[in-house]
Amino acid sequence: EPEVTQTPSHQVTQMGQEVILRCVPISNHLYFYWYRQILGQKVEFLVSFYNNEISEKSEIFDDQFSVERPDGSNFTLKIRSTKLEDSAMYFCASSDRNTGELFFGEGSRLTVL
Amino acid sequence: AQSVTQLGSHVSVSEGALVLLRCNYSSSVPPYLFWYVQYPNQGLQLLLKYTTGATLVKGINGFEAEFKKSETSFHLTKPSAHMSDAAEYFCAVRHWNTGNQFYFGTGTSLTVIP
């Protein structure tokens, strides 16, 4: 069964360092998303991406964040200068249409020290 | 704006008892509705969804949910809880006029007591 894959599963970084989280969405999907979940809290929307551009972003997704689809398969989230409060589980998701369900990856746990 | 409310951040039931997890949404037009489950240290897995048609939808693992427009609700139920149902459950909504966003509720942690 097709699935969304994310790497790394866990990354520990120092405050101020750049981090890139990688995702391989399901191959025929056209809509891509990043969500985050701070430990014990709700799942928060970060950004959606369609047709090679950001379609929506939340207030959380400030200038420190960027997304890219560098080739036909990967979808990346970059945090330029990490802060302690960026520590969270980051979920990538994809969808084949804008009314369908999202298919989530297993998540990448980011720990900022 | 869309919002989703899940009443009860923690629900405990005995094994074999009815599971009822509540979800209400606020929207002027009925959205698409979803329930996801998150097992410990895992990602989000779709349990079931309502888009159009029959208002009672059945999902995986014996769960079902009923869309009630008059009550703006989409409560999740299962007749008989299993130990393996212990997890975090998230209700989510999506509508064409909010673009591609999914709005998640705050989640309900289900504990099943042997």
Side-chain angles (χ1 to χ4, degrees):
Chain A
E1 186 178 324
E3 58 180 18
V4 176
T5 57
Q6 291 185 240
T7 54
S9 56
H10 190 192
Q11 181 158 356
V12 181
T13 190
Q14 296 290 324
M15 192 169 56
Q17 295 297 304
E18 177 182 283
V19 161
I20 297 177
L21 305 179
R22 292 182 167 80
C23 171
V24 179
I26 294 173
S27 62
N28 63 339
H29 285 187
L30 302 175
Y31 300 85
F32 313 114
Y33 309 80
W34 283 101
Y35 285 78
R36 80 170 185 192
Q37 185 181 31
I38 295 171
L39 187 64
Q41 297 187 26
K42 69 186 289 185
V43 179
E44 300 175 292
F45 170 75
L46 291 179
V47 66
S48 60
F49 192 87
Y50 171 70
N51 201 25
N52 285 320
E53 61 183 22
I54 290 173
S55 47
E56 287 187 75
K57 59 183 181 179
S58 70
E59 293 176 354
I60 303 167
F61 195 87
D62 62 20
D63 291 345
Q64 292 299 313
F65 290 88
S66 63
V67 289
E68 196 175 40
R69 188 156 160 82
D71 53 41
S73 59
N74 289 285
F75 179 52
T76 61
L77 174 69
K78 182 193 290 187
I79 309 174
R80 263 181 270 281
S81 177
T82 50
K83 308 183 192 68
L84 294 176
E85 54 265 37
D86 293 328
S87 295
M89 181 73 92
Y90 289 81
F91 291 105
C92 175
S94 69
S95 174
D96 62 352
R97 60 192 185 280
N98 63 358
T99 57
E101 70 266 31
L102 300 190
F103 292 82
F104 285 85
E106 294 287 310
S108 293
R109 181 171 297 284
L110 176 64
T111 302
V112 182
L113 302 176
Chain B
Q2 299 273 4
S3 74
V4 184
T5 303
Q6 289 184 242
L7 283 177
S9 57
H10 297 277
V11 170
S12 292
V13 300
S14 297
E15 191 175 15
L18 171 72
V19 176
L20 170 60
L21 305 182
R22 299 178 187 275
C23 174
N24 288 87
Y25 66 91
S26 63
S27 172
S28 57
V29 180
Y32 300 110
L33 295 153
F34 307 82
W35 275 99
Y36 281 82
V37 61
Q38 185 181 30
Y39 297 104
N41 301 313
Q42 294 189 28
L44 293 152
Q45 180 183 7
L46 181 71
L47 269 180
L48 47 79
K49 65 178 180 180
Y50 169 79
T51 53
T52 58
T55 55
L56 180 64
V57 292
K58 295 185 186 299
I60 62 172
N61 301 339
F63 283 93
E64 60 183 38
E66 186 171 12
F67 167 61
K68 291 187 177 180
K69 183 178 175 181
S70 61
E71 298 177 7
T72 61
S73 69
F74 191 58
H75 302 330
L76 181 72
T77 60
K78 181 174 180 178
S80 176
H82 292 166
M83 296 299 295
S84 59
D85 294 327
E88 190 84 16
Y89 292 81
F90 293 93
C91 182
V93 301
R94 186 179 199 182
H95 194 274
W96 65 272
N97 70 351
T98 59
N100 296 318
Q101 282 200 43
F102 258 50
Y103 293 89
F104 280 92
T106 51
T108 298
S109 177
L110 177 66
T111 300
V112 182
I113 303 164

